[in-house]
Amino acid sequence: MAREIPDATVARLPIYRRSLVELASTGAEMVSSAALADLAGVNAAKVRKDLSYLGTYGVRGVGYDVKFLLRQIGDALGLDIETPVVIVGMGNLGQALAHYGGFSSRGFPIVALVDASEAKVGQVVDGIAISHIDDLDTIVKEHAIAVGIIATPAEAAQIVADALVAAGVRSILSFAPSVLHVPETVPLRKVDLATELQILGYYQQRESPAEGGNTDKSA
Amino acid sequence: MAREIPDATVARLPIYRRSLVELASTGAEMVSSAALADLAGVNAAKVRKDLSYLGTYGVRGVGYDVKFLLRQIGDALGLDIETPVVIVGMGNLGQALAHYGGFSSRGFPIVALVDASEAKVGQVVDGIAISHIDDLDTIVKEHAIAVGIIATPAEAAQIVADALVAAGVRSILSFAPSVLHVPETVPLRKVDLATELQILGYYQQRESPAEGGNTDKSA
DNA sequence: GTGAGCTTGTGCGTTCGTGCACAAGCGGTA
DNA sequence: TACCGCTTGTGCACGAACGCACAAGCTCAC
């Protein structure tokens, strides 16, 4: 499994991938680090260093093979196989996420929806019937679900996280505005919409030339 | 306007704020850096250093005044006044964001919704009628809108960003999976849901003890 | 007034990320 | 074969972030 890839690099790989997919669709076969850097909105040296962590696949004087690079990045990110996802919490956000096509098309099919409200159980969203949270364990095992998305209110988030971990989910993406504690072995990422706006508020107030001080989760 | 606050600190201020609001609701008047660190899921020394950028308001041997600290953080983030927001793109995500109450309740009321589809214009979502993108300029000026949220497909994102900047929006939050170019004076933050999942994929595959590498661990 | 016990504020060493700059290396041309 | 132009891979130096560890300073008890 190659060497360790730095966190900052891992966060950029999906962006390179997106750019490469676009490039591939235009028929391009090779790409230079400078061209890719331009597409991804980063520094060319950074691109080269990032890609070097995947192993060395560029050809000096020529560039990188687009398709080969795509496969390499896909492998590093574990996109060679589909990763089934469950969404917990079918409020506005949860329903929107369920409808959002960007997950399935990128290898993360949503295979189950869960909520705690009896009223919602049984309703069909985007072709999937909502199940009750009490059945979470069975559902996760049945579909071999690897990723749990938490779209519940903050109060329920920790309980849901614990349930997901107990059921055997391997990583968690949380939209709940709260601190979550999970075992070290379960990667956790958080997206808090209100927090993002507040951060913008600071830079806006300053009218500073900053980039928003982003974690640079995407681009 | 105090001193410069480091990016990493700015990103944590909203989390401290969230913890303090919770604390205040329990009636607590003072809080130590250790207690706050615990609530926010970070190191105590980091909390103290972060807060020191706001100016020094802690009392040795005692701690920090909860209410005062809340006001200081609010000031730093520019939350003393309401910041009107417009959402561009009324697809699934846009509609979910429009319904999401977390914005208004934290000082970012959604005052306008915009879409390019004639079919959607006029529809009412969460009490607000959808306007046409061509009227963006007027709308932004009329409501003195400061923040634009982009929830359109990737292809439209850059055009929308340009339009928002031209209309006078001061900062942008984008959910579109694409690279955006805006003037240095306009803070921009990006959230890409598929990217988040792909990053999780890397760490999951590794089953490393890392925490998803980014923004910070538990929060 | 004096001492004990906390808690803050910060200096400092360490680690991580960034990007410049250049040598190494490949392909094409004569 | 020899040379030229282009692009990769990386050494290096700089800066940001982190967290330990400790001195400074406040409150309370007696």
Side-chain angles (χ1 to χ4, degrees), chain A residues 144-199:
Chain A
I145 290 173
V147 178
I149 296 182
I150 300 179
T152 66
E155 309 81 62
Q158 184 62 59
I159 295 169
V160 169
D162 292 344
L164 283 169
V165 170
V169 152
R170 295 175 57 199
S171 62
I172 294 177
L173 175 58
S174 172
F175 289 88
S178 67
V179 175
L180 293 182
H181 296 279
V182 296
E184 290 275 303
T185 53
V186 178
L188 165 68
R189 288 184 71 84
K190 293 141 290 167
V191 176
D192 180 1
L193 310 179
T195 293
E196 295 295 327
L197 284 180
Q198 290 176 34
I199 294 172

Side-chain angles (χ1 to χ4, degrees), chain A residues 1-8 10-15 17-19 38-41 74-80 83 85 92-93 95-97 99-103 106 108 146-147 149 170-173 175-181 184-219, chain B residues 1-8 10-15 17-19 38-41 74-80 83 85 92-93 95-97 99-100 102-103 106 108 146-147 149 170-181 184-219:
Chain A
M1 278 266 154
R3 14 180 176 172
E4 279 275 302
I5 302 180
D7 291 347
V10 172
R12 280 188 294 269
L13 290 181
I15 301 171
R17 186 167 190 282
R18 204 165 62 198
S19 305
D38 200 50
L39 280 172
D75 282 356
L77 296 177
L79 301 180
D80 42 321
T83 305
V85 173
N92 294 311
L93 185 57
Q95 300 217 11
L97 294 174
H99 280 111
Y100 181 52
F103 294 146
R106 292 179 213 202
F108 294 87
V147 178
I149 296 182
R170 295 175 57 199
S171 62
I172 294 177
L173 175 58
F175 289 88
S178 67
V179 175
L180 293 182
H181 296 279
E184 290 275 303
T185 53
V186 178
L188 165 68
R189 288 184 71 84
K190 293 141 290 167
V191 176
D192 180 1
L193 310 179
T195 293
E196 295 295 327
L197 284 180
Q198 290 176 34
I199 294 172
L200 276 180
Y202 172 81
Y203 292 102
Q204 173 177 306
Q205 182 178 245
R206 293 258 163 167
E207 280 172 358
S208 96
E211 232 266 323
N214 208 336
T215 305
D216 229 320
K217 11 189 85 162
S218 61
Chain B
M1 282 261 162
R3 15 181 175 171
E4 278 275 303
I5 302 180
D7 290 349
V10 172
R12 279 187 295 268
L13 289 182
I15 300 171
R17 185 167 191 281
R18 205 165 60 198
S19 306
D38 201 49
L39 280 172
D75 282 356
L77 296 176
L79 300 180
D80 42 321
T83 304
V85 173
N92 294 313
L93 184 57
Q95 300 217 11
L97 294 174
H99 281 110
Y100 180 52
F103 294 145
R106 289 178 215 202
F108 295 86
V147 177
I149 296 182
R170 294 174 59 198
S171 63
I172 293 176
L173 175 58
S174 172
F175 288 88
S178 68
V179 175
L180 293 182
H181 297 280
E184 291 273 303
T185 53
V186 178
L188 165 69
R189 288 184 71 84
K190 294 144 286 171
V191 176
D192 181 2
L193 310 179
T195 293
E196 294 296 325
L197 283 180
Q198 289 176 35
I199 295 173
L200 277 179
Y202 172 80
Y203 293 101
Q204 173 177 308
Q205 179 178 246
R206 292 262 162 164
E207 281 173 356
S208 94
E211 68 269 5
N214 210 334
T215 315
D216 53 327
K217 147 178 298 192
S218 38

Side-chain angles (χ1 to χ4, degrees), chain B:
Chain B
M1 282 261 162
R3 15 181 175 171
E4 278 275 303
I5 302 180
D7 290 349
T9 294
V10 172
R12 279 187 295 268
L13 289 182
I15 300 171
Y16 296 148
R17 185 167 191 281
R18 205 165 60 198
S19 306
L20 288 168
V21 167
E22 206 177 313
L23 262 177
S25 76
T26 70
E29 305 217 332
M30 300 298 286
V31 62
S32 71
S33 61
L36 183 52
D38 201 49
L39 280 172
V42 301
N43 178 287
K46 206 188 292 188
V47 168
R48 291 197 295 275
K49 202 167 285 185
D50 283 345
L51 297 185
S52 77
Y53 289 113
L54 305 180
T56 294
Y57 300 107
V59 179
R60 293 169 191 237
V62 178
Y64 300 85
D65 182 294
V66 173
K67 276 187 195 145
F68 192 68
L69 201 48
L70 261 176
R71 201 161 55 235
Q72 290 302 326
I73 293 179
D75 282 356
L77 296 176
L79 300 180
D80 42 321
I81 53 170
E82 294 222 314
T83 304
V85 173
V86 59
I87 299 178
V88 182
M90 281 293 112
N92 294 313
L93 184 57
Q95 300 217 11
L97 294 174
H99 281 110
Y100 180 52
F103 294 145
S104 313
S105 69
R106 289 178 215 202
F108 295 86
I110 293 160
V111 299
L113 304 175
V114 167
D115 200 286
S117 150
E118 296 289 354
K120 283 185 182 143
V121 172
Q123 284 181 28
V124 176
V125 177
D126 206 48
I128 300 174
I130 299 178
S131 305
H132 193 275
I133 181 80
D134 289 347
D135 300 327
L136 185 61
D137 203 79
T138 313
I139 293 166
V140 167
K141 290 185 169 63
E142 197 171 296
H143 295 87
I145 291 173
V147 177
I149 296 182
I150 300 179
T152 67
E155 310 80 64
Q158 184 62 60
I159 295 170
V160 168
D162 293 342
L164 283 169
V165 170
V169 152
R170 294 174 59 198
S171 63
I172 293 176
L173 175 58
S174 172
F175 288 88
S178 68
V179 175
L180 293 182
H181 297 280
V182 295
E184 291 273 303
T185 53
V186 178
L188 165 69
R189 288 184 71 84
K190 294 144 286 171
V191 176
D192 181 2
L193 310 179
T195 293
E196 294 296 325
L197 283 180
Q198 289 176 35
I199 295 173
L200 277 179
Y202 172 80
Y203 293 101
Q204 173 177 308
Q205 179 178 246
R206 292 262 162 164
E207 281 173 356
S208 94
E211 68 269 5
N214 210 334
T215 315
D216 53 327
K217 147 178 298 192
S218 38

Side-chain angles (χ1 to χ4, degrees), chain A residues 44 46 71:
Chain A
K46 206 188 292 185
R71 200 162 55 236

